[in-house]
Amino acid sequence: MAERFQTAHVDDLERVPSFQGVTWLPIRRRFGIQAFGANAFAGDAGKLVIEEHDESGTGGSGAQEELYVVVTGRATFTIAGDAIDAPAGTLVFVRDPEAKRKALAAENGTVILALGGTRGEAYEPSAWEWIAPAIERQDAGDYEGAAAVVREGLARLPDHPSLLYNLACFEARSGEGEAAIEHLLRGLEIDPKMRAWAAKDEDFDSLRGDPRFESAVAGEPEPGRTGA
Amino acid sequence: MDRPYEVATIDDLDKVPVLQGALTWRPVRRRFGIEAFGVNVFSAERAGELVIEDHYEREGPEELYVVLRGRAAFTLGDGEEVDAPAGTLVFVRPGTHRVATAREPGTAVLGVGAKPGEPFEPSGWEWGAIAFAHLNRGDEEEGRRVIEDGVARDPDSWAAQYNLACFEARTGHPEEALEALGRAVEGDPESVRRFATGDEDFASIRDDSRFRELIGG
C-alpha cells in the first residue's frame, strides 16, 4: 500500500540531466503523484534551468497550463519574447501552451518548481519523464537500459508515439531490428509526422534497406498488405 | 484575448482571512485563472499561526505542500511531527490527516492539489472563503455576488449550496437559508450533517424545527 505521506527537501532530490543540459529534480515520480505534474529544476548562475519549449507538441503532454515557482535563488524567464526578473518567491503562470518559455539562473543554487496540467482533462504524465532518463542512458552507451526505461513509460502511456519512436531508436541501436521495426511502424501509424524524423535519424541506419522501414517512412502501405 | 502569461510574487497576492482569521489564504489559482489544478499559498506573520488547516481531504485530492519561506511544523497521519524548513516538500494522499503551523515569522506554504483520473474542478471552498471575507468586512453585496457566482458555477455542488445556506442565515434570510440547506442535504447528507451540527453560521436558525429535521438532530 502506498504511504499516506512522504516528505523530502529539494536539496535531497535526485538530479537527472535532461534536455538542453538542464538539471531535472523529479518530484512527481518520487512521490508517485498521479493528479498533476510536479517537478523542480536547478542551476547555477548563467545556466539554463527551464529548457526552451512550448506545451503544444507531441513530445510533451500537450496543451498544459504551467505554473513556475522560484523556490531559491533568482531566475530570468523569457516568455513569448518578454524578459522577466524572478527572485525567490515569484510565481509565473504560462496560460498559453503555444508561448515559448525558458529560464536562466541569475544566482547560484537557483531552484524552480514547475507544476502542470491540462484544463478539462484528467492528468497524464508527460512522456519526457521517461524519455529524458532514457536519453541519459543512451548517451552512456546503454541502449538496453534506455529501452527498458521507455518500456516503463509505455506501460503507463500505452501507444504514446514519442515513446514508441524512442523505443524503436534504442532497439535499432542494440540490434533488436524486428522489435524496432514493429514499434517504429506503430508510432508512425499514430503520428505520421514522425516519418520525416525517421527518414533522417541515424539511429535507424541498421534498418535502412528493409522494405518495411522504407515503406513506413515513405508513408506507403506495409509490403504484403493489400490495404483492403 | 487573455495574456499568454502572468507574474506575481508571494507578497503581491491577496490576503484573505479564513477560519475566523486563524488562517491567511493567498489565492493563486483564482488570481491567475488556473483551471488544470488547484494551487494556493498560505502564510503566517507570526510563529505559531496556522499555515495548513487541520483537515483530511477525504473527497480525493492528492496534495503537495512546498514550504517557500520560513519554517513550518507539520503533523501528519497518526500524529507524526515533521520539521519543514524552506524547500521542504510534503506529499499527502487523500484521507490522511494533516495540519501545519509556522515556526518562524513570514512562513509561506504553497499547496497544490487535484484528484487522480479526473479533470480538475475548483473547490467550492474558494467561493465561500472569499464571500465570507467580504461579509466579515461588512460588504454583504460583494459577498453575495461571490457566493451566487459559486452556486451558478456548480449548482449541483452540495458545498456551494451549504455556503449559500450559511450566507443566507448570517444575513437574516432564514427561509432562503433553509431552502439552500435542503438542497445541500440532497447532495451529501452525511457531510452536511457533520459540518452543520456545530456551525455557528446557523445560530439564527438552529432552533427552527425544520433545521433540526434537515440535519437529523
Side-chain angles (χ1 to χ4, degrees):
Chain A
M1 184 181 161
E3 293 176 70
R4 291 183 295 165
F5 62 87
Q6 293 163 267
T7 65
H9 192 276
V10 288
D11 293 342
D12 301 329
L13 296 172
E14 183 186 5
R15 295 187 169 227
V16 181
S18 185
F19 301 116
Q20 299 175 29
V22 307
T23 300
W24 169 35
L25 285 55
I27 296 173
R28 195 201 70 74
R29 285 169 69 94
R30 176 178 179 129
F31 292 147
I33 298 172
Q34 299 296 324
F36 49 87
N39 286 295
F41 297 87
D44 287 334
K47 296 286 186 187
L48 195 63
V49 185
I50 301 294
E51 65 174 283
E52 183 169 37
H53 72 291
D54 60 40
E55 287 293 329
S56 59
T58 56
S61 58
Q64 284 208 132
E65 293 181 343
E66 289 203 327
L67 177 68
Y68 302 99
V69 184
V70 183
V71 178
T72 58
R74 188 179 203 106
T76 304
F77 281 81
T78 304
I79 306 175
D82 297 342
I84 299 150
D85 175 38
T90 302
L91 305 121
V92 178
F93 175 57
V94 185
R95 176 180 293 117
D96 180 1
E98 306 275 341
K100 284 270 185 209
R101 80 288 308 261
K102 69 175 181 179
L104 275 82
E107 290 178 3
N108 288 341
T110 296
V111 174
I112 300 175
L113 175 71
L115 304 165
T118 303
R119 59 169 64 195
E121 294 182 14
Y123 175 76
E124 286 289 351
S126 301
W128 73 263
E129 285 195 15
W130 288 275
I131 294 172
I135 299 280
E136 185 191 7
R137 284 171 174 74
Q138 172 201 255
D139 291 347
D142 179 10
Y143 294 107
E144 291 179 4
V149 171
V150 173
R151 286 191 193 101
E152 285 175 22
L154 282 164
R156 181 68 175 81
L157 302 173
D159 274 348
H160 192 289
S162 294
L163 290 171
L164 287 165
Y165 184 97
N166 278 277
L167 179 57
C169 290
F170 305 139
E171 287 170 334
R173 288 276 190 180
S174 59
E176 297 181 64
E178 287 302 312
I181 290 276
E182 179 190 335
H183 292 126
L184 180 63
L185 264 55
R186 180 72 184 132
L188 297 187
E189 184 183 339
I190 296 165
D191 187 358
K193 78 170 180 294
M194 297 193 304
R195 285 184 196 131
W197 309 349
K200 298 176 186 169
D201 196 329
E202 293 179 1
D203 287 340
F204 297 129
D205 282 353
S206 64
L207 307 181
R208 294 189 201 286
D210 185 310
R212 294 169 296 174
F213 175 84
E214 300 298 345
S215 299
V217 168
E220 296 166 354
E222 192 178 337
R225 288 197 180 173
T226 63
Chain B
M1 185 188 163
D2 288 336
R3 293 184 61 194
Y5 67 89
E6 304 278 347
V7 181
T9 68
I10 297 170
D11 296 325
D12 297 332
L13 300 171
D14 286 342
K15 290 185 179 182
V16 181
V18 293
L19 302 178
Q20 288 79 46
L23 181 67
T24 301
W25 171 35
R26 319 293 295 270
V28 176
R29 196 202 69 75
R30 287 178 72 91
R31 177 178 180 123
F32 292 145
I34 297 172
E35 294 288 339
F37 49 88
V39 57
N40 288 297
V41 169
F42 299 91
S43 65
E45 288 187 11
R46 290 175 289 277
E49 290 179 0
L50 203 59
V51 279
I52 298 296
E53 73 169 301
D54 191 317
H55 70 298
Y56 287 80
E57 294 296 353
R58 294 184 201 276
E59 294 181 6
E62 296 179 336
E63 292 208 325
L64 175 69
Y65 305 105
V66 184
V67 182
L68 297 178
R69 285 200 308 222
R71 189 176 203 109
F74 280 78
T75 304
L76 302 165
D78 296 327
E80 186 170 331
E81 304 283 335
V82 176
D83 176 38
T88 301
L89 307 145
V90 178
F91 175 60
V92 188
R93 291 200 159 78
T96 304
H97 176 246
R98 79 290 307 263
V99 62
T101 54
R103 280 196 158 162
E104 293 177 1
T107 295
V109 179
L110 180 84
V112 190
K115 293 182 186 179
E118 294 182 18
F120 173 75
E121 283 291 338
S123 166
W125 174 87
E126 288 186 9
W127 279 262
I130 296 275
F132 288 110
H134 286 302
L135 184 62
N136 292 339
R137 283 200 298 265
D139 190 348
E140 180 179 337
E141 185 180 347
E142 183 59 14
R144 179 169 293 281
R145 190 193 66 72
V146 174
I147 210 89
E148 290 179 350
D149 180 44
V151 172
R153 194 178 197 280
D154 190 0
D156 296 330
S157 159
W158 73 267
Q161 296 292 346
Y162 184 95
N163 283 333
L164 177 61
C166 292
F167 196 91
E168 297 289 16
R170 282 187 52 183
T171 54
H173 303 99
E175 294 303 318
E176 290 83 353
L178 288 163
E179 286 171 18
L181 192 63
R183 291 190 291 272
V185 167
E186 283 175 26
D188 187 342
E190 186 187 334
S191 294
V192 171
R193 284 166 187 151
R194 190 169 73 240
F195 289 116
T197 301
D199 194 331
E200 292 178 7
D201 287 345
F202 294 125
S204 65
I205 58 172
R206 190 165 297 285
D207 293 334
D208 190 308
S209 60
R210 292 171 293 174
F211 177 82
R212 290 197 298 272
E213 192 177 321
L214 279 170
I215 68 162

